[in-house]
Amino acid sequence: MTWVYVIFILLTILCSIFFDKKEGYGTYKLTAYRGLYFFLICIVGFSYGLGGDKFAYMTFFEYYYSGLDAIWECMADEVVRHGFMPLWTLLCLVVKTTTDSFYVLQFALALLVNIPICEIVRKHTDHGFIFLLLYFVSEIFFQFNTEVMREGPAIAFGLVAMESFLEGKPKKYWLFTILALGFHLSACLLLIVPFIRHIELSRKKVLIILAITFGCWVLSDLVLIPMLSYFLSHDAGALGRKLVTYTSIQTNLFGFLRSFLSMMVVPICAIYFNREQSVSSSEKTYRDHMSSLLILLAFIGCVFAGFTRFFNYVQIFYLIMLTELVAHLLETKLHLIFRLGTIVAAFVFWIWYEVAYWPRIDFHFYQFFVPYTCILDETEDVFFREDAYHEVCNYSFYEDRIKEAE
């Protein structure tokens, strides 16, 4: 049933041709936009065995008990044993008790993730259909909905929290920050949002930032080893063990350069080449603030490879910047080659990631999502994805990337 992907892409392209040149979102444009992102929600909501991490959550869901009589004990136990945050456990227990269907859970998550993301996006670009196309073909959509299922709602609520802070709504900011933290601990980075200072990008500042990032990566052992020594000497439970694992992941020069180019250089170029665009003062404030946050999280991801997941919180902003770059590509010849090169580079890294190959198990990353498998055909074999997932998650698979800590 992979044809559903083709239909979505064709519809998005057609709607982009008809609507994306118009400013704002009139009745027809808004209806088409919401219709298409609801199509996306249905794609993942009615999927069967799509993704890799989803198999782990399906297994956990099977072992939850029906009933809410010991809900507090269960949430506390999940935090200690697995590092699962309370709202994730609560959602699973409610669905388990009311319907006992993982399909209901994945549909609910698709709603929680994609509605906030797509509604926020239309506030910052008139080219929503180009965004939807990039969101889909970049596989960020699949990542948020099938690979980081606990983090997906945290990312969506985090975007609402950041939006609320910049709109001068502190109560709403704190509410959605707490909700985000309730789903995933990585949302703790939202606490630094009020302290981010705008960085006015210039060529000199960009070069300084890039040089500092490379230097810190070279010297990262001076930070990593003391940190590991501390955590390894303290019993910090499941969350502490996860932190140790994430911190101890390292990259060689090639791995660093790939992260450096894909998370920092290309996104900064996308931001930089949009800086001359005429926007409202509130939009300029949003872009400046988010640019500063993107640079900070890219820096963390490049220096500490295990924390690249923090970059997920600015992936949507990055796509907005690419959307604007694509939409305005031919409006001026100024820097045309460099702007086109930025777009091409983004696609190159996406494709590179999607075709990643694990020879030990004869598996490509895109096979987690292609072919599309639907709940209408549960007889279709999807468990080759589960086998690949367990093999890739095997500790020995990454042992050459883990630092030794004494």
Side-chain angles (χ1 to χ4, degrees), residues 292-307:
S292 300
L293 183 61
L294 182 148
I295 291 170
L296 175 61
L297 299 184
F299 169 82
I300 293 172
C302 288
V303 176
F304 305 101
F307 293 97

Side-chain angles (χ1 to χ4, degrees), residues 12 119 151 161-162 169 184 226 237 272 317 378 382:
T12 306
E119 287 298 317
E151 192 176 4
M162 289 183 275
K169 300 175 181 177
H184 203 273
Y272 182 79
F317 172 67
E378 290 189 351
V382 295

